[in-house]
Amino acid sequence: MTDDSTAAAAATGTLGYEQARDELIEVVRRLEAGGTTLEESLALWERGEELAKVCRRWLEGARARLDAALARPESGSGGSGTAADG
């Protein structure tokens, strides 16, 4: 069981946001549907936690890229505004 968890954790590092999100949705559906053993439920929960971390990292990276992109025009506008004034 530990080997499976390790392999799953390693596999999440290569997932894109959409893949991780879609798999997380499926994990949640399976947990909400019930009918799994305690061991299966714990494995699903652990997988869900890993997938949530992957999604969070992607979203944090996207936020950083957006912040950087939004910061660029401010410094660019200031430079072109100064040139237009002079």
Side-chain angles (χ1 to χ4, degrees):
M1 204 35 99
T2 306
D3 293 334
D4 291 342
S5 298
T6 304
T12 56
T14 61
L15 289 177
Y17 172 77
E18 290 81 6
Q19 293 169 315
R21 181 202 59 211
D22 291 346
E23 188 177 341
L24 180 57
I25 290 168
E26 182 58 29
V27 165
V28 170
R29 278 192 198 130
R30 288 181 62 192
L31 284 169
E32 288 178 340
T36 57
T37 66
L38 177 59
E39 188 65 32
E40 290 168 335
S41 295
L42 288 172
L44 285 169
W45 180 271
E46 290 170 349
R47 180 66 177 161
E49 288 291 329
E50 288 298 318
L51 291 165
K53 287 178 189 176
V54 170
C55 291
R56 194 174 311 118
R57 282 193 294 266
W58 275 105
L59 291 171
E60 288 169 355
R63 170 59 72 188
R65 288 177 65 188
L66 284 171
D67 289 345
L70 290 172
R72 275 187 232 132
E74 291 176 9
S75 60
S77 298
S80 61
T82 304
D85 291 338

